[in-house]
Amino acid sequence: MTAPTRVPLSVLDLATVREGHGSADALRGTIEIAKAADELGYRRFWVAEHHNMPAVASTSPPVLIGAVAAHTRQIRVGSGGVMLPNHMPFVVAEQFALLEALYPGRVDLGIGRAPGTDQATAAALRGVSPYLTVEQFPEHLRTLLGLLGDERVPTERLTATPAAESFPEVWMLGSSTYGAQVAAALGLPFCYAYHFAASSDVDGALRLYRNGFQPSPRHPRPWVMVSASVLAAETGEEARFLAGPSRVMALSLRTGRLGPMISPEAAAERELSDLDRAVLESLPGTQYAGTVEEVVSGLDTLVARTGADELILAGAVHDPATRVDSLARIAKAWGPVAG
């Protein structure tokens, strides 16, 4: 009996900073994970924009994407995502047009509307510019598309690079109906952030996206990627132990007590107040943590529920080697992919 053909898998990474280690170590870990994902046949490797967070070193996606691309061969590299309200569209267009010129046919530009940080840090990023606001997002996104070769949007003498021969693939990201509707109206592929919005209305958002999709020159039909947080290990008990730091990290985000990622041993021994324990019990941290059979079964169910064309796998862990092992187990069990 042949293995079933499944949707392609990709990887999302945050360059996680471990307790007792520096940012350089986190970035080297991301590059090692990307190299493994490339060799294992994953389709994309995305990094996310976050600022002023002790556990996250991926503050500048374009810089990190360039490093990842230089150390990989064929996997697509990109942002999951760039938070457009933090940047002028022309700056983003130049950065990603340059990446595309260096690594043609391999660059994705995932765009988000959230700040990727707290409001004080967002204000420090944006300064006093009246042009960097959430309200300007639709206009700035259209401008960015035009600068990256979308013939529907004139750019009035501006070019992101002098002589572009190809353009990055632009994605809309979101965890609500807003992003789904924007992606549908502009005919963009859409990535739903299910890994941190599992309790939200993914079904309603994807229904709005598919029903409202307006075909565009580059994308004649809707295309959905859904994220999920995963960790596969030899046993379910080991997987849950290794996922412990991600649950503590989720608790830290909810309570404002940010810090580097602690070890699985420290997470298991951590003393919690009754309130923290109650909050922690409601936070998955890692949605699918178990044996590879359990993880694959969960992902199959997610695909069946959402009709996703692709999945992108998140998963904050203490040690990059743990992430590589998990990705290897999943890739082997997942088998052949469509397309």
Side-chain angles (χ1 to χ4, degrees):
M1 181 180 294
T2 59
T5 299
R6 293 188 167 102
V7 303
L9 298 179
S10 296
V11 178
L12 175 65
D13 195 76
L14 302 181
T16 304
V17 181
R18 295 181 279 168
E19 195 170 51
H21 295 73
S23 295
D25 184 63
L27 297 170
R28 284 191 291 268
T30 287
I31 290 172
E32 290 306 309
I33 295 167
K35 289 164 63 177
D38 190 22
E39 294 168 1
L40 290 166
Y42 284 85
R43 176 167 288 188
R44 310 173 196 273
F45 189 91
W46 284 7
V47 296
E49 177 184 344
H50 290 282
H51 301 279
N52 201 30
M53 295 179 65
V56 180
S58 59
T59 54
S60 180
V63 176
L64 186 50
I65 289 166
V68 167
H71 286 85
T72 53
R73 294 176 297 173
Q74 60 186 13
I75 195 169
R76 294 188 66 90
V77 292
S79 61
V82 164
M83 302 297 109
L84 192 56
N86 295 338
H87 315 281
M88 292 301 291
F90 189 57
V91 173
V92 176
E94 285 195 318
Q95 291 169 340
F96 279 80
L98 180 58
L99 287 168
E100 176 68 22
L102 287 168
Y103 306 102
R106 291 183 58 198
V107 177
D108 298 328
L109 170 54
I111 292 292
R113 189 174 68 116
T117 187
D118 58 87
Q119 292 303 315
T121 306
L125 286 164
R126 301 170 190 178
V128 296
S129 171
Y131 302 106
L132 292 178
T133 66
V134 171
E135 290 72 26
Q136 297 275 5
F137 180 83
E139 175 190 345
H140 285 184
L141 179 56
R142 286 182 58 83
T143 298
L144 179 62
L145 291 173
L147 290 165
L148 294 177
D150 192 323
E151 57 269 30
R152 299 173 297 175
V153 187
T155 55
E156 298 181 357
R157 303 189 304 277
L158 286 175
T159 58
T161 60
E165 296 179 0
S166 61
F167 299 98
E169 185 170 270
V170 180
W171 286 70
M172 182 67 200
L173 314 182
S175 58
S176 68
T177 57
Y178 178 88
Q181 290 172 303
V182 169
L186 294 174
L188 298 176
F190 178 55
C191 180
Y192 189 89
Y194 185 74
H195 71 290
F196 66 77
S199 61
S200 62
D201 187 13
V202 58
D203 306 289
L206 297 185
R207 187 163 51 249
L208 279 173
Y209 171 66
R210 293 187 175 106
N211 290 344
F213 187 83
Q214 301 297 312
S216 63
R218 298 184 191 178
H219 303 286
R221 70 177 186 89
W223 191 266
V224 170
M225 182 158 62
V226 175
S227 67
S229 179
V230 304
L231 200 163
E234 185 67 26
T235 66
E237 182 180 10
E238 181 186 6
R240 288 184 287 275
F241 172 73
L242 294 171
S246 71
R247 298 180 68 231
V248 174
M249 187 175 176
L251 174 64
S252 299
L253 286 170
R254 298 301 192 282
T255 58
R257 301 195 300 266
L258 302 180
M261 175 164 276
I262 63 175
S263 69
E265 292 79 9
E269 297 169 359
R270 191 181 184 96
E271 293 186 5
L272 300 172
S273 68
D274 290 342
L275 178 59
D276 282 349
R277 189 173 291 105
V279 173
L280 193 63
E281 289 302 317
S282 69
L283 299 173
T286 302
Q287 291 160 310
Y288 304 100
T291 65
V292 70
E293 293 81 10
E294 292 169 334
V295 170
V296 166
S297 176
L299 295 178
D300 279 337
T301 299
L302 183 60
V303 171
R305 172 185 172 182
T306 62
D309 301 291
E310 298 184 42
L311 294 178
I312 186 165
L313 307 184
V317 295
H318 181 256
D319 187 347
T322 299
R323 187 92 197 274
V324 169
D325 179 72
S326 175
L327 292 174
R329 292 175 186 273
I330 294 168
K332 181 178 180 181
W334 196 249
V337 301

